[in-house]
Amino acid sequence: MRDLLLIAAYAFAGAAAAGIVGALVLRVLRHRSVVVSLTIVAAVTVTAMLAGTLTVCKAMFLEPHDFSVITTVVAMAAVVALATALLLGRWVVARSRELARAARSFGDGGSFAAPGGAATAELAELSRELAATSAKLSASRAREHALEKSRRELVAWISHDLRTPLAGLRAMSEALEDGVAPDPQRYFRQMRTEVDRLNAMVGDLFDLSRIHAGALSLAPARISVYDLVGEALAGADPLARELGVRLVGDRVDTVPVEVDGHEMTRVLANLLVNAIRRTPADGTVAVAAERRADQVVLSVTDGCGGIPEDDLPRVFDTGWRGTAARTPPAGAGLGLAIVRGIVEAHAGRADVRNVQGGCRFEVVLPAAPEV
């Protein structure tokens, strides 16, 4: 037993010396290729075995012939181990470079395509993660392009809508200044109308910028949907009477919700004004509210004749007004974008779909918890 412990001690001493040297070499070359690292690991393994074996052989005073035989066997094992490490390292490096080229392609604006062929479990996992990241990046690019297109359209339409009232204001002010206005009081009233319209446009732009910046401040309170709808109907009734549109709100449940009353009233007001302006005279705009499971659904149904199917996904985009609504009194196309922003800030969603004779806008909100 004592001899066995002595042999183990000699073997450990020789192997430890080789291991320490190998660790120092790995630390110095840790930033080099994986081929170098694998080769060093294989060399350290074989060297440690060789050093331990030779130390034991020297301590046992083996014959020179026996010593050379053992040395030759260990050396051949070292050659095979180093060759295997080199082949494995080159294979891993080749797969890593293929993966890097594939990753570079989607980083430059393309999409990631995983390289073919076998790979280690770690490289395969990395490839899957890069594919998932590429999909998210592509979706982000698509959203960015859609937003950029929406911004360009908004700038173009806002420029047009601002230019028209400004030109009218300038013409009326020059007529008043030159004393050639046939009815100055009518001109003053018209100027006030145009200024109010410009002020509303600027206010919508400011509110939309707050929504996009996540700076919309909400003060939620428990309130009945019946009260919200009633207030919105009362505010939209004068416009409906002026345009000859009937407002109907007899299917409204007294369901409680926790919302910012001011902002949610604005949501309903925007939807009602939008529906009234696009419903022909003698048409009907219906408002309803009901509870579905743990949600409350408010809907506004108009008689606009429907929205083209291709335009339905863009209805709530900033600046969207449809092909038939490019001029006043359609507005700047911000009302529905504001609706979506406010509703989403309340953890809800806004949808639209075509129904017979028109379309239905729905606002889905979480129901208030029971008290």
Side-chain angles (χ1 to χ4, degrees), residues 183-223:
D183 186 356
Q185 292 303 319
R186 184 175 67 84
Y187 274 47
F188 287 136
R189 289 193 297 271
Q190 184 63 30
M191 289 173 71
R192 175 62 182 271
T193 300
E194 296 295 342
V195 169
D196 288 344
R197 204 169 129 237
L198 287 171
N199 185 61
M201 252 189 250
V202 173
D204 285 348
L205 283 171
F206 176 73
D207 291 338
L208 192 62
S209 68
R210 284 195 305 144
I211 290 172
H212 286 171
L216 183 64
S217 179
L218 299 176
R222 190 181 182 88
I223 187 172

Side-chain angles (χ1 to χ4, degrees), residues 6 34 70 82 95 103 160-161 193 210 218 224 253 305 307 341:
L6 187 61
V34 69
I70 293 175
L82 290 175
R95 294 300 173 272
H160 174 268
D161 288 349
T193 300
R210 284 195 305 144
L218 299 176
S224 171
D253 297 339
I307 299 172

Side-chain angles (χ1 to χ4, degrees), residues 215-257:
L216 183 64
S217 179
L218 299 176
R222 190 181 182 88
I223 187 172
S224 171
V225 172
Y226 186 86
D227 295 334
L228 280 176
V229 173
E231 187 175 347
L233 287 173
D237 186 64
L239 177 63
R241 290 179 181 274
E242 178 185 347
L243 299 179
V245 176
R246 292 186 299 275
L247 286 180
V248 178
D250 53 0
R251 291 195 305 111
V252 180
D253 297 339
T254 56
V255 183
V257 289

Side-chain angles (χ1 to χ4, degrees), residues 98-356:
E98 290 176 359
L99 195 59
R101 285 193 295 268
R104 192 179 303 117
S105 66
F106 87 84
D108 293 336
S111 59
F112 176 79
T120 63
E122 291 78 10
L123 290 179
E125 177 65 22
L126 178 59
S127 180
R128 287 191 293 270
E129 290 296 329
L130 287 174
T133 302
S134 176
K136 293 177 182 178
L137 187 59
S138 297
S140 177
R141 287 194 186 109
R143 287 194 299 270
E144 183 181 353
H145 291 160
L147 286 173
E148 184 59 29
K149 181 180 178 181
S150 176
R151 290 191 190 99
R152 288 197 299 267
E153 291 178 350
L154 176 62
V155 169
W157 294 346
I158 285 289
S159 299
H160 174 268
D161 288 349
L162 289 177
R163 189 180 296 114
T164 301
L166 287 174
L169 286 170
R170 180 174 182 177
M172 287 185 285
S173 64
E174 289 177 349
L176 289 170
E177 185 179 7
D178 296 338
V180 296
D183 186 356
Q185 292 303 319
R186 184 175 67 84
Y187 274 47
F188 287 136
R189 289 193 297 271
Q190 184 63 30
M191 289 173 71
R192 175 62 182 271
T193 300
E194 296 295 342
V195 169
D196 288 344
R197 204 169 129 237
L198 287 171
N199 185 61
M201 252 189 250
V202 173
D204 285 348
L205 283 171
F206 176 73
D207 291 338
L208 192 62
S209 68
R210 284 195 305 144
I211 290 172
H212 286 171
L216 183 64
S217 179
L218 299 176
R222 190 181 182 88
I223 187 172
S224 171
V225 172
Y226 186 86
D227 295 334
L228 280 176
V229 173
E231 187 175 347
L233 287 173
D237 186 64
L239 177 63
R241 290 179 181 274
E242 178 185 347
L243 299 179
V245 176
R246 292 186 299 275
L247 286 180
V248 178
D250 53 0
R251 291 195 305 111
V252 180
D253 297 339
T254 56
V255 183
V257 289
E258 286 191 2
V259 296
D260 186 307
H262 173 73
E263 296 295 345
M264 199 52 59
T265 299
R266 182 177 185 184
V267 165
L268 291 175
N270 282 2
L271 291 177
L272 282 171
V273 169
N274 184 69
I276 291 169
R277 291 194 180 279
R278 284 160 179 77
T279 299
D282 296 329
T284 300
V285 172
V287 183
E290 60 178 331
R291 180 163 187 160
R292 299 177 188 170
D294 58 347
Q295 296 178 327
V296 176
V297 181
L298 295 87
S299 64
V300 176
T301 306
D302 60 32
C304 67
I307 299 172
E309 293 294 330
D310 292 341
D311 286 342
L312 281 176
R314 298 193 56 209
V315 166
F316 292 98
D317 288 353
T318 302
W320 184 88
R321 296 187 295 182
T323 56
R326 300 300 176 95
T327 57
L334 305 180
L336 294 180
I338 291 174
V339 164
R340 181 176 63 180
I342 294 175
V343 171
E344 291 180 350
H346 284 85
R349 70 176 189 276
D351 298 316
V352 60
R353 70 175 188 272
N354 286 325
V355 296
Q356 185 176 2

Side-chain angles (χ1 to χ4, degrees), residues 76-88:
M76 292 302 100
V79 171
V80 173
L82 290 175
T84 303
L86 285 172
L87 290 174
L88 177 60

